[in-house]
Amino acid sequence: MRLRVKYSKTGRMAFLGHLEMLRFWQRALRRAGLPVAMSHGFNPHPRLAFGPALALGIESLAEYLDVELAADWEPDRVREELQAQLPPGLAILLVQVIPAGAPALTAVIDTAAYRVSWLAAVDSGLLQQRVGSLLARTEVPVSRPGKDGRPRVKDIRPGVLELALDPPPDLAMLLQCSPAGSIRPEEVLQALDWEVPGRITRTGLFARRGDEFLAPEELNS
Amino acid sequence: MSHLVTDELLKQVSKPARYLGTEWNAVHKDWDENPAHMVFIYPDLYEVGMSHLGLAILYGAVNEQPGMLLERAFAPAPDMEDLLREKGIPLFSLESHRPLTDFDVVGFTLQYEMSYTTILNILDLAGLPLLAAERGPGHPLVVGGGPGVANPEPVAPFFDCFLLGDGEEALPELLALMGRLKKEGWAHDRREVLARIAALPGFYVPSFYDVTYNTDGTVAAVVPNRDGIPARVTKRVLPDLDAAYFPTRPIVPFLEVIHDRIMLEVMRGCTHGCRFCQAGAIYRPVRERDLAVLLGQAEELVRHTGHEEISLTSLSTADYSRVEELARTLAAAYEDRGVSVSLPSLRVDAFSVRLAEAVQRVRKSSLTFAPEAGSQRLRDVINKGVTEDDILTATAEAFQAGWQAIKLYFMLGLPTEGEEDLLGIAGLARRILHQGRELAPGKKPTVTVSVSSFVPKAWTAFQWEPQDVVKVLQEKQQLLRSHLKGPGLRFSWHDARVSFIEAVLARGDRRLAAAIMAAWRRGARLEGWSEYFRYDCWEEAFEETGLDPAFYAHRQRQEGEVFPWDHLDFGVVKGFLLRERHRARAGELTADCRSGRCTGCGVCPDLGVDLRLKGGPVDRAPAGEV
Ligand code: SF4
């Protein structure tokens, strides 16, 4: 059976990279006694699939993991047994059975929502002004390191779908996040020329369906 | 300062997972409810320190006791160190992200000499005075333990006290005492605290001993300078490991560490009696764990960690008298749970290889053996108890079982070593390669020879011997290198200059503390990593302090000489070591006391303990004399 697990990754856990999370889940699943299906082949490994990678240091309220089990378990039991194996900062939000043929997370997710809360006082008016002028532009070039390490200039404007003080003075962003291209929240801050230190949280991952943004758990119902 | 760490530091360093402290099974005890606070520091990077079984044992042993807590800290990587210095933030513990100076006790494990400069760096990053004599009422006690305590004298001025021997009972005793002293209001009186600690068995307070020197620079005497202080401090030893604490909920690191697996300690100590080996002497006597106890611990470990491998650890696991039963039972029990069994230290014989073959379903790329010396004569000198026949049957077994890469460890510069012993290494490697080609036709066998340099250590039969000078060691490496060229042969060696510094520190006295400090001031730290080792720091340090490293490393010591560590008692008697020295010179073997024939090392009567062998005595040893 195939399960989709939604979890949050907050506090110190935000500093775990993708590889560390993979190792962590493999061991947590084994501790929980879940009958995880193994891949075939020379070096069998548990069948796990993740959503789009999250940059180090960013907290998330919406991470996803698809796991295939060799036996049927009630989603509630999975949630309970798995939660018992997680340290503070990782919490299971949802466990859902999905069809065996459902497309992979990385194939459907194309949008990510972020929130920035500030670690120092901010002038909301000024920030609102900067947001307004960024949204009014047709092109917003930022430089990012290219594959060879040399900086490339990239226009992030088409990838900024929403940008607002919501709730003020927090900054909410809806950004493109797909294999075709992803905008990093830091790049938006850079384009805003906003240097107040903030804590960034990923608040959602979505698949765009016309004007609607559906969360992965809404796709298979 | 927890927010400071997460918001200011972790975003800017590589591998922030080193500093989180929230790994699975990490213990976060309440600071106020548990008044005795200790931080255990492994003076190397997280990946090295988290591979250390001793840390896991002591972490659990202290934290399961009420009234005390033990947190962890490691050497920061250079990028984190730069950041801490730049921002003026003190080094912190992992669990509560508190500065090290918040703790009552700061404990270091002394695993190897090349970590000593790192210890100073950590004290400095914590904002603590380096010298014990300069620390005052508000400062934590700095405690050392681990194998380096076999001769802690070069670092003695930096430490308030040392613990000799097994720590799982002694460390909770120390913290219970600290808790009492804090409650009674004595904790600020450092000398009173130290006097009370010195009264605990196994604890050595170096400032309560005066060292005097002869005109030739050797030690004249080390004597207590205070009433009620014992003339010799005897190590702690757990008589029965079955009754001892063992952690079944060890921390599961997020990062990939060097030994990333379950470590099941099957026994402590080793009876082989290799004459160069310090661990074999200071961890005596052998104490095996019961099979049923081990199987129970393994089950809990699998359940509580989720690891995919169980490693049967000890100094020489193939010697454990019920190793075969244990390994086979575990392998069968966990096969369908995807957990494998591994044997980290193989003895050079066919039995070990067959055992590895039986339990290790995944063929590791290579199989490693340690004949240590290239000729039978020299193997007899070091009491290795291994013949060329043993080696060749072991490697034949390995090739037949499907291994294609053999790794051989040797030591260069052993006492009495000559050119024929060195050429013996190359000859042996070629014979094994040839054997591999015959036994595994069509495959491409490789033989890797890896050499380290002999470092004479305290508490061994070779503690009187000089080390070869660096130039000679390098010439020997070159000679071997030129004889180990060709397809299928590989050669690797360790920097002889590192071994030289190790030799200076391993048998040094308190005066060397000045050189360690000078080397650290010049930038020496993390010297276990070849990329960070800086020989120039040491050259300048010796120059500046006027200490002659050759006096420590290259001098033939007199048999009557007082050693800097003679006031410490690890059970093995000096007379036994001296006898072993003479037998080495004569090329005579000494039996393994696992055979049931006690060879009189002195440990058992001295410490009032016995060998604990679960399968009864086994005489697998060569026909050595008692
Ligand atoms: S005293 Fe005898 S039996 Fe005990 S460890 Fe020493 S040699 Fe072995």
Side-chain angles (χ1 to χ4, degrees), chain B residues 461-508:
Chain B
F462 293 152
Q463 60 183 348
W464 290 271
E465 308 299 338
Q467 185 187 49
D468 275 348
V469 298
V470 170
K471 198 162 155 285
V472 168
L473 288 171
Q474 287 169 339
E475 281 164 11
K476 288 180 173 179
Q477 290 170 348
Q478 281 312 313
L479 177 81
L480 261 182
R481 198 175 162 194
S482 65
H483 281 86
L484 284 165
K485 289 207 167 121
L489 289 172
R490 312 233 153 93
F491 181 59
S492 73
W493 65 96
H494 291 284
D495 188 338
R497 298 168 311 171
V498 174
S499 308
F500 169 50
I501 303 301
E502 279 172 5
V504 172
L505 299 174
R507 292 180 301 164

Side-chain angles (χ1 to χ4, degrees), chain A residues 52-177:
Chain A
L54 181 67
L56 230 54
I58 296 188
E59 295 183 296
S60 176
L61 303 176
E63 290 301 286
Y64 292 89
L65 159 73
D66 284 357
V67 53
E68 203 164 316
L69 296 188
D72 286 359
W73 273 40
E74 278 299 315
D76 279 351
R77 181 173 170 214
V78 171
R79 179 177 178 157
E80 208 171 289
E81 297 287 344
L82 210 46
Q83 183 61 55
Q85 300 301 328
L86 304 183
L90 290 177
I92 308 275
L93 304 173
L94 198 77
V95 177
Q96 179 192 48
V97 182
I98 56 168
L105 289 160
T106 43
V108 290
I109 292 171
D110 52 21
T111 313
Y114 297 92
R115 188 184 61 223
V116 188
S117 47
W118 308 108
L119 296 169
V122 293
D123 176 346
S124 292
L126 182 62
L127 181 57
Q128 182 61 62
Q129 215 180 337
R130 298 254 178 105
V131 166
S133 70
L134 185 144
L135 291 174
R137 285 152 70 189
T138 50
E139 249 180 60
V140 180
V142 297
S143 85
R144 62 162 66 166
K147 286 207 178 82
D148 54 3
R150 267 181 295 179
R152 294 271 147 79
V153 173
K154 149 126 191 145
D155 177 18
I156 64 164
R157 182 61 192 90
V160 179
L161 307 176
E162 284 173 21
L163 188 63
L165 272 70
D166 177 24
D170 284 5
L171 189 60
M173 311 178 184
L174 195 62
L175 306 178
Q176 183 189 349
C177 174

Side-chain angles (χ1 to χ4, degrees), chain B residues 270-271 280 284-286 571-572 576 591-594 596-606 609-611:
Chain B
C270 175
T271 48
R284 282 188 173 211
V286 157
V572 174
F576 169 78
D592 182 329
C593 65
R594 183 177 279 278
R597 295 176 286 167
C598 170
T599 55
C601 80
V603 164
C604 297
D606 233 36
V609 284
D610 277 317
L611 289 191

Side-chain angles (χ1 to χ4, degrees), chain B residues 292-583:
Chain B
V293 171
L294 290 169
L295 292 174
Q297 291 175 346
E299 174 60 30
E300 283 196 55
L301 283 160
V302 169
R303 215 153 18 99
H304 297 322
T305 63
H307 274 302
E308 43 288 288
E309 186 179 335
I310 304 173
S311 161
L312 306 182
T313 60
S314 76
L315 289 169
S316 175
T317 295
D319 286 340
Y320 172 55
S321 54
R322 304 188 70 179
V323 66
E324 186 158 6
E325 226 175 320
L326 175 67
R328 285 182 190 274
T329 311
L330 289 174
Y334 295 109
E335 178 159 18
D336 39 322
R337 282 203 248 166
V339 180
S340 65
V341 175
S342 68
L343 298 154
S345 52
L346 292 187
R347 215 168 44 202
V348 193
D349 61 16
F351 168 80
S352 299
V353 181
R354 277 199 292 267
L355 192 61
E357 189 194 348
V359 299
Q360 266 160 238
R361 276 164 300 118
V362 197
R363 285 274 172 283
K364 293 277 163 62
S365 45
S366 70
L367 216 51
T368 304
F369 300 101
E372 311 287 5
S375 71
Q376 196 55 48
R377 185 198 69 78
L378 192 53
R379 281 194 297 272
D380 289 350
V381 167
I382 62 175
N383 203 40
K384 187 67 201 174
V386 163
T387 64
E388 175 141 344
D389 238 25
D390 294 328
I391 303 170
L392 292 174
T393 9
T395 50
E397 191 79 34
F399 286 124
Q400 276 156 350
W403 273 285
Q404 290 173 48
I406 301 290
K407 222 171 168 184
L408 301 169
Y409 279 130
F410 295 94
M411 235 181 258
L412 291 189
L414 285 163
T416 77
E417 180 184 69
E419 194 169 323
E420 59 285 12
D421 304 303
L422 297 173
L423 297 180
I425 295 176
L428 187 61
R430 285 184 186 282
R431 276 195 290 288
I432 293 171
L433 185 65
H434 179 72
Q435 184 189 44
R437 288 188 176 139
E438 299 218 308
L439 293 175
K443 304 249 175 76
K444 278 213 168 104
T446 60
V447 176
T448 303
V449 169
S450 176
V451 296
S452 60
S453 301
F454 166 64
V455 176
K457 297 251 176 171
W459 298 101
T460 69
F462 293 152
Q463 60 183 348
W464 290 271
E465 308 299 338
Q467 185 187 49
D468 275 348
V469 298
V470 170
K471 198 162 155 285
V472 168
L473 288 171
Q474 287 169 339
E475 281 164 11
K476 288 180 173 179
Q477 290 170 348
Q478 281 312 313
L479 177 81
L480 261 182
R481 198 175 162 194
S482 65
H483 281 86
L484 284 165
K485 289 207 167 121
L489 289 172
R490 312 233 153 93
F491 181 59
S492 73
W493 65 96
H494 291 284
D495 188 338
R497 298 168 311 171
V498 174
S499 308
F500 169 50
I501 303 301
E502 279 172 5
V504 172
L505 299 174
R507 292 180 301 164
D509 53 47
R510 287 188 190 180
R511 293 170 295 191
L512 278 174
I516 300 172
M517 219 159 22
W520 166 73
R521 283 233 165 78
R522 287 178 159 72
R525 75 205 195 299
L526 293 179
E527 295 179 285
W529 300 81
S530 51
E531 64 261 49
Y532 298 129
F533 174 67
R534 282 181 46 200
Y535 189 56
D536 57 320
C537 292
W538 286 99
E539 281 181 306
E540 290 166 26
F542 292 129
E543 184 128 338
E544 178 197 314
T545 53
L547 290 158
D548 176 15
F551 172 81
Y552 298 101
H554 302 321
R555 183 171 55 90
Q556 169 79 65
R557 301 192 183 202
Q558 298 304 307
E559 291 197 344
E561 189 172 326
V562 173
F563 289 144
W565 56 90
D566 275 354
H567 57 302
L568 306 179
D569 181 8
F570 279 79
V572 174
V573 295
K574 208 170 179 180
F576 169 78
L577 295 174
L578 206 52
R579 197 158 76 231
E580 280 298 288
R581 174 177 198 236
H582 295 151
R583 294 173 75 105

